[in-house]
Amino acid sequence: MSLTCGVPQGSILGPILFLIYCADVIAIAKRHGLGVHSYADDTQLYFHTAPAMVDNKLQRLVVCVEEIRQWMNANRLRLNENKTQFIWLGTPHQLSDVQCQKISLRGVDIQISTEVTCLGVLLDSKLTFAPHVRRLSGRCFYHLRQLKTVRRSLTEDAAKSLVHAFVTSRIDYCNSVIYGARAAHIQPLQNVLNAAARLILHKRKYDHITSDIRDRLHWLPIQQRLEYKICLLIFKCLHQTAPVYLRVMSDPVSASASRSHLRSAARGDLAVPRARTTTYGQRSFSVSGPSLWNSLPLSVRDPSLTMTQFCTHLKTFLFRRAYYT
């Protein structure tokens, strides 16, 4: 049908055209000193501050949201305050110093959430990602139970394909965000991987499976899967195929005039910034990415490798380190 405005729901160009249409929202947020990210029709505003400056920042946020609401009303859009979520992220000590438990937008009180979903990832206020892993492992085990009912009718290759489609694809989605989390919080995902391997290989519930994962399925353990994803992101940053906000965190040592004469610069190492905290600083992409990249052998970091070749070399290196060292 002929449309006078907007785009059809679900069209390929829909998210892109919507972002172009709403580009002023990003400009408004930046004018108020707030960070902003947009994906399709989801927009996030964020800021960082010391607990003592919370009230000042919140006031700026409320003013910014009100200006965005006025802009949306003038451009045939609607801001739904009832679907707006707000969360504090920080250490337990920082969170204990914040007294604000709700914010008001046009008379609507928005309670501070302890967990919010961002593009399918469940963020908790302390960034442990334990709730996300619990929910993810629960969904994966649900699909494994469904596949178990038809496993006898499937070949091994068909079972592998279904497990990759319903289970491991979920494990690998945005898994780099949980890098550096406590081992106890990551272990449920390894349990899912073990259960998936037993399903494919017709093993019983308590059969030892590590050697079969290594020799028959050639799967990386969860920890190495996380490292694989981060190293791949660094590779894309160095080849200018990653977003700018990631590329700026991948500076070669040789780019610094004061360090260009060091052996690390000749090896192609990346600069690793100092982390102020061990709980969160070491887990951030700006630290973990360059650190993992620098730990790779020079043959894997060869800049002449294509992405396919790099992935092959990287998996081989991580596979040997996981099972043979």
Side-chain angles (χ1 to χ4, degrees):
M1 73 176 52
S2 177
L3 298 176
T4 59
C5 63
V7 292
Q9 180 74 21
S11 67
I12 295 175
L13 286 176
I16 299 176
L17 294 178
F18 186 85
L19 287 175
I20 295 174
Y21 187 76
C22 294
D24 288 343
V25 172
I26 298 177
I28 293 173
K30 290 183 177 180
R31 189 165 63 246
H32 287 273
L34 301 177
V36 57
H37 274 118
S38 294
Y39 182 85
D41 60 344
D42 291 328
T43 300
Q44 301 172 19
L45 304 177
Y46 56 93
F47 60 85
H48 60 87
T49 184
M53 300 296 294
V54 162
D55 293 337
N56 182 39
K57 281 286 189 176
L58 276 181
Q59 184 61 34
R60 185 178 300 182
L61 175 67
V62 172
V63 172
C64 176
V65 172
E66 176 60 23
E67 186 174 343
I68 291 176
R69 187 194 64 79
Q70 294 176 2
W71 179 90
M72 295 180 75
N73 288 341
N75 289 273
R76 304 179 182 179
L77 297 173
R78 180 174 180 269
L79 175 64
N80 193 337
E81 291 87 354
N82 293 320
K83 292 184 177 180
T84 301
Q85 293 180 296
F86 188 89
I87 186 173
W88 293 115
L89 303 175
T91 64
H93 176 71
Q94 291 172 333
L95 295 175
S96 64
D97 290 339
V98 178
Q99 302 301 321
C100 176
Q101 297 301 319
K102 66 180 180 180
I103 58 176
S104 297
L105 297 176
R106 288 182 56 80
V108 178
D109 289 336
I110 300 176
Q111 299 296 324
I112 306 301
S113 303
T114 57
E115 298 174 1
V116 297
T117 301
C118 175
L119 299 180
V121 177
L122 189 63
L123 301 176
D124 58 288
S125 57
K126 299 177 184 177
L127 291 180
T128 64
F129 289 101
H132 171 69
V133 172
R134 284 197 299 267
R135 185 180 69 172
L136 176 60
S137 59
R139 290 178 177 178
C140 289
F141 276 120
Y142 166 80
H143 288 289
L144 287 175
R145 289 193 294 269
Q146 301 304 308
L147 292 176
K148 186 177 181 180
T149 61
V150 296
R151 177 62 185 92
R152 293 182 179 180
S153 304
L154 301 173
T155 64
E156 186 172 305
D157 288 339
K160 284 182 184 179
S161 299
L162 288 173
V163 166
H164 285 311
F166 290 101
V167 179
T168 56
S169 61
R170 285 182 163 84
I171 292 176
D172 293 335
Y173 173 74
C174 288
N175 60 352
S176 59
V177 299
I178 64 175
Y179 176 79
R182 293 183 180 179
H185 295 158
I186 299 178
Q187 183 59 38
L189 296 182
Q190 185 63 51
N191 296 339
V192 169
L193 209 62
N194 295 343
R198 292 188 179 97
L199 175 70
I200 294 174
L201 301 177
H202 278 300
K203 296 287 184 177
R204 292 176 298 180
K205 183 176 181 180
Y206 295 106
D207 286 347
H208 185 72
I209 199 66
T210 302
S211 59
D212 291 310
I213 292 178
R214 178 192 63 204
D215 301 329
R216 296 181 61 181
L217 297 177
H218 307 289
W219 288 355
L220 290 172
I222 290 298
Q223 181 60 35
Q224 280 66 40
R225 295 173 91 98
L226 306 182
E227 296 176 5
Y228 180 95
K229 179 64 72 65
I230 294 177
C231 290
L232 182 57
L233 286 173
I234 290 291
F235 178 86
K236 292 181 178 180
C237 289
L238 297 178
H239 288 75
Q240 308 300 313
T241 57
V244 175
Y245 64 86
L246 292 180
R247 297 206 303 264
V248 297
M249 302 180 191
S250 308
D251 293 329
V253 174
S254 57
S256 174
S258 60
R259 304 175 63 186
S260 59
H261 63 284
L262 301 178
R263 282 181 293 179
S264 58
R267 290 196 306 265
D269 286 0
L270 299 179
V272 181
R274 293 183 179 180
R276 297 181 58 186
T277 62
T278 57
T279 306
Y280 300 108
Q282 300 291 339
R283 294 167 53 186
S284 64
F285 180 75
S286 61
V287 176
S288 63
S291 298
L292 288 174
W293 181 263
N294 295 344
S295 69
L296 299 178
L298 296 180
S299 58
V300 178
R301 292 191 281 162
D302 188 346
S304 64
L305 295 177
T306 64
M307 182 178 293
T308 302
Q309 293 171 333
F310 172 77
C311 291
T312 301
H313 285 61
L314 178 61
K315 182 179 179 181
T316 300
F317 170 74
L318 294 176
F319 191 87
R320 289 174 178 172
R321 191 171 68 178
Y323 293 113
Y324 297 106
T325 58

